[in-house]
Amino acid sequence: EINVKDDQVVEWIVHNYDIVFSLHCKQIFPASLVSRVACFNFHPGFNPHNRGWYPQAFSLINGLPIGATIHRMDEQIDHGGILGQKEVTVSPKDTSLEIYNKVIEAEKELIKEHLISIIDEDYTLHFPSEEGNYNGIKDYERLCQLDLGSVGTLENHIDLLRALTHGDLKNAFFVKNEKKYFIKIAISDS
């Protein structure tokens, strides 16, 4: 593992590499790196919508496009010129895990389509017309604690549970009588 918060490591990268790839890296690349070396992020979100943590969950809840993005990194998180994107189709029965798996497949397709053009420096970047939004880990943690008094449509509540259901992970929970109860949803079609 390379620590990009270490200035000496950043200097070593700058002097030894022309391109850096970030694939699900949880470190924030500093301006001292992204301004001096072409850094590309393979992001499991459809930028600029819901940049940051768990983009598929926030996109599902907010009714925004879900997919994968390759972008040239700048000093902001999941931000910068976009090289390529793939949107995924989401079924009403898909939970966060199924959606995430579709996004990973879209990322693999993007890598196959664009890797050589990145290496050959033969690409065009486009910039979104809007900034979008960013969701951090704390935003996701707040989502996980369900408000039993929440008012909304049944569809909104189902989408929230779908967004928080990710395999065996215990994400969604509510507290009753000082005890924590975990909940997930399973939906099947006919």
Side-chain angles (χ1 to χ4, degrees):
E1 184 174 304
I2 295 174
N3 180 4
V4 295
K5 291 182 181 182
D6 183 325
D7 292 336
Q8 290 179 332
V9 169
V10 169
E11 288 304 314
W12 178 79
I13 292 169
V14 167
H15 287 90
N16 290 288
Y17 295 94
D18 298 320
I19 303 171
V20 174
F21 295 109
S22 169
L23 290 92
H24 299 235
C25 178
K26 293 182 169 122
Q27 298 182 61
I28 298 171
F29 282 35
S32 62
L33 177 58
V34 298
S35 65
R36 296 163 60 203
V37 175
C39 297
F40 289 89
N41 186 23
F42 295 81
H43 177 59
F46 200 80
N47 288 3
H49 308 291
N50 299 304
R51 297 178 289 119
W53 288 82
Y54 306 105
Q56 79 281 359
F58 286 100
S59 286
L60 178 61
I61 292 166
N62 296 323
L64 293 169
I66 300 173
T69 302
I70 299 175
H71 66 95
R72 183 157 175 179
M73 298 166 75
D74 62 18
E75 60 279 347
Q76 296 181 51
I77 299 171
D78 296 332
H79 192 271
I82 295 172
L83 178 74
Q85 291 184 294
K86 275 209 184 301
E87 190 169 355
V88 299
T89 303
V90 176
S91 160
K93 67 179 183 140
D94 288 342
T95 65
S96 177
L97 180 59
E98 285 87 21
I99 296 168
Y100 183 75
N101 289 337
K102 289 179 182 183
V103 171
I104 295 302
E105 289 306 311
E107 277 186 314
K108 291 175 186 176
E109 291 173 24
L110 285 172
I111 291 169
K112 286 179 193 174
E113 289 174 23
H114 295 283
L115 184 60
I116 298 302
S117 66
I118 292 171
I119 292 168
D120 290 343
E121 296 182 25
D122 182 25
Y123 56 84
T124 302
L125 301 175
H126 70 276
F127 294 85
S129 59
E130 61 183 273
E131 279 299 305
N133 64 307
Y134 170 80
N135 299 294
I137 189 72
K138 297 286 185 202
D139 298 313
Y140 187 76
E141 289 170 354
R142 280 190 290 277
L143 269 184
C144 289
Q145 184 165 358
L146 303 174
D147 176 2
L148 294 178
S150 176
V151 176
T153 67
L154 182 56
E155 182 177 25
N156 293 144
H157 292 298
I158 289 171
D159 284 347
L160 175 60
L161 292 176
R162 289 173 55 213
L164 296 174
T165 299
H166 199 95
D168 292 331
L169 297 178
K170 292 182 173 184
N171 293 329
F173 70 92
F174 62 90
V175 177
K176 189 130 185 160
N177 300 325
E178 299 181 24
K179 185 168 178 159
K180 189 185 269 191
Y181 296 90
F182 291 94
I183 186 170
K184 56 176 90 174
I185 193 168
I187 302 172
S188 60
D189 57 7
S190 55

